[in-house]
Amino acid sequence: MENEEPRPLLVSFIASGQGAWRIERIDTIVGESLPAADRLEVVESPSPSLSVAPAWVLRGVTSNVRYTNRLELDALQQSQEPLNRPLATRAALIPIRKTAAWWNLAQDERRRIFEEQSHHIAIGLEYLPAIARRLHHSRELHEPFDFLTWFEYAPEHSDAFEQLVLRLRNTEEWHYVDREIDIRLVRS
Amino acid sequence: MENEEPRPLLVSFIASGQGAWRIERIDTIVGESLPAADRLEVVESPSPSLSVAPAWVLRGVTSNVRYTNRLELDALQQSQEPLNRPLATRAALIPIRKTAAWWNLAQDERRRIFEEQSHHIAIGLEYLPAIARRLHHSRELHEPFDFLTWFEYAPEHSDAFEQLVLRLRNTEEWHYVDREIDIRLVRS
């Protein structure tokens, strides 16, 4: 599931006592955890003003697709829906970091693992349009994670979302993930 | 010519009255120009201390390869030499920006233009090991350019470098370049 925004958008995810999203839980899947917090604000700005001291801030930037081919991109663009749908009151923020072994691979090797072996794009397509998502790149910003993926869905698609996440974690690609946090949120 | 540094390195190119490199000339190839300056310092830091007001600062970050396949990466890694060779007293900094049309292409479409049509990697390989280079990504940093490529070579390879630059500018890939500056420097 890659992002196809034409212009990079810098986004800050700010965890503190305030924000539009209530944090239901923060599960550490692998590696170091993140501090607990009550609420999360998603700010489309590189340097948001902070009225309270945050528990943590994660930053990422949308970018061009890195693996998605034309046929896949057309299929994604035909089916995917935007963020901020009124019925999509559930969200997940899943920060991950990949190993040096991943980043040292050549482009064709990463593509083969990502799609031909792990079917990352094909699996994501199965859950459209129910689950909307936006990918943010963090590695080049010297952040603690390489990617921040943000998902939004309606409550009735919660089980589908669990299935999506478990299927992705069970892929060859995920052998290269050495830090992953799963943060679930409710708009309120 | 892509960069294969495993860990992103944030680099600032600072043009002012001081620095290890003397600016010989700044040629505007296409698009808006850059102000004149006498010298350039290359600082491997995201927030360098500035002792004088610079004419301009351009920032970029090294990253994983985006198009290079395994065979190409092996060939590059066998032949390429590092920066800072004592005999490499000539340098070029070539900032470029690509069009929205480029960034909206899918990965396979960009790869096809980059290598199968334009032979960007193959052309670069012909000039190794004489010409060392490092690619810096700027687009996700909200910089005015998308890429900053830094080249270093000995004076006797100046003609070869001119040829390399002209061949790349004559490719299909360069139809997607809408701003390019060519900055030539001498270490002194």
Side-chain angles (χ1 to χ4, degrees):
Chain A
M1 288 179 285
E2 294 194 75
N3 185 283
E4 63 296 331
E5 296 274 330
R7 298 174 64 184
L9 180 69
L10 200 19
V11 181
S12 300
F13 296 89
I14 305 164
S16 73
Q18 61 189 49
W21 295 90
R22 178 170 56 78
I23 298 177
E24 269 199 324
R25 57 178 215 270
I26 301 182
D27 294 335
T28 303
I29 309 304
V30 60
E32 197 188 340
S33 67
L34 272 181
D38 291 329
R39 302 190 75 86
L40 185 87
E41 192 67 273
V42 183
V43 182
E44 295 182 354
S45 161
S47 49
S49 59
L50 301 170
S51 58
V52 291
W56 43 263
V57 180
L58 296 175
R59 297 183 321 134
V61 59
T62 65
S63 188
N64 57 294
V65 297
R66 305 283 166 88
Y67 301 107
T68 313
N69 289 342
R70 171 50 59 194
L71 286 174
E72 296 157 348
L73 195 56
D74 286 346
L76 286 169
Q77 289 175 340
Q78 275 167 32
S79 301
Q80 66 197 355
E81 295 208 345
L83 299 183
N84 297 312
R85 293 169 297 176
L87 291 174
T89 58
R90 297 290 182 275
L93 173 63
I94 304 189
I96 69 166
R97 188 182 63 196
K98 284 181 171 170
T99 61
W102 172 263
W103 293 115
N104 283 328
L105 292 174
Q107 178 68 24
D108 57 337
E109 295 170 320
R110 278 181 279 106
R111 159 73 198 190
R112 200 175 306 126
I113 296 167
F114 185 87
E115 192 56 27
E116 280 69 32
Q117 295 182 22
S118 301
H119 309 292
H120 191 137
I121 297 163
I123 290 172
L125 263 169
E126 290 181 41
Y127 298 87
L128 298 181
I131 293 163
R133 61 94 187 82
R134 189 166 69 187
L135 176 65
H136 311 78
H137 297 259
S138 294
R139 185 162 184 262
E140 284 77 21
L141 304 181
H142 284 203
E143 284 279 309
F145 296 94
D146 291 340
F147 303 102
L148 312 173
T149 313
W150 175 259
F151 302 91
E152 290 180 4
Y153 48 95
E156 67 261 36
H157 295 126
S158 295
D159 289 349
F161 183 70
E162 295 303 326
Q163 193 183 59
L164 166 62
V165 166
L166 290 177
R167 288 175 69 185
L168 287 174
R169 281 193 192 126
N170 207 29
T171 59
E172 176 68 17
E173 182 194 353
W174 245 253
H175 294 157
Y176 294 89
V177 173
D178 69 0
R179 190 177 180 195
E180 180 178 8
I181 317 281
D182 188 335
I183 303 159
R184 299 305 176 88
L185 311 100
V186 177
R187 181 149 52 196
S188 68
Chain B
M1 288 179 285
E2 294 194 77
N3 184 284
E4 63 296 332
E5 295 274 330
R7 300 174 61 184
L9 179 70
L10 199 19
V11 181
S12 299
F13 296 89
I14 306 163
S16 72
Q18 60 188 50
W21 295 91
R22 179 169 55 78
I23 297 176
E24 270 199 326
R25 57 178 214 268
I26 300 182
D27 293 336
T28 303
I29 309 303
V30 61
E32 197 188 338
S33 67
L34 272 182
D38 291 329
R39 302 190 74 86
L40 185 86
E41 191 68 272
V42 183
V43 182
E44 296 182 353
S45 162
S47 50
S49 60
L50 301 170
S51 58
V52 291
W56 44 263
V57 180
L58 296 175
R59 297 182 323 135
V61 60
T62 64
S63 188
N64 57 292
V65 296
R66 305 283 165 88
Y67 301 106
T68 314
N69 288 343
R70 170 50 59 192
L71 286 174
E72 296 157 348
L73 194 54
D74 286 346
L76 287 169
Q77 289 176 339
Q78 275 167 32
S79 302
Q80 66 198 355
E81 294 208 347
L83 300 183
N84 296 312
R85 293 170 297 176
L87 291 174
T89 57
R90 297 290 182 277
L93 172 64
I94 303 188
I96 68 166
R97 187 181 65 194
K98 285 180 170 170
T99 61
W102 172 263
W103 293 114
N104 284 327
L105 292 174
Q107 179 68 24
D108 57 337
E109 295 169 322
R110 278 182 278 105
R111 160 72 198 190
R112 200 175 306 125
I113 296 166
F114 186 86
E115 191 57 25
E116 279 70 33
Q117 295 183 22
S118 301
H119 311 292
H120 191 137
I121 297 165
I123 290 173
L125 263 169
E126 291 181 42
Y127 297 87
L128 296 183
I131 293 163
R133 61 94 187 81
R134 190 165 68 187
L135 176 66
H136 311 79
H137 298 259
S138 294
R139 185 163 184 262
E140 284 77 21
L141 304 181
H142 284 202
E143 285 279 309
F145 295 93
D146 291 339
F147 303 101
L148 312 174
T149 312
W150 176 259
F151 302 89
E152 290 180 5
Y153 48 95
E156 67 260 37
H157 296 126
S158 296
D159 289 349
F161 183 71
E162 295 303 326
Q163 193 184 58
L164 166 62
V165 166
L166 290 178
R167 287 176 69 186
L168 287 174
R169 279 193 194 127
N170 207 29
T171 59
E172 177 69 17
E173 183 194 354
W174 245 253
H175 294 159
Y176 294 89
V177 171
D178 70 0
R179 190 176 180 198
E180 178 177 11
I181 316 282
D182 188 335
I183 302 158
R184 299 304 176 89
L185 311 100
V186 176
R187 181 149 50 196
S188 68

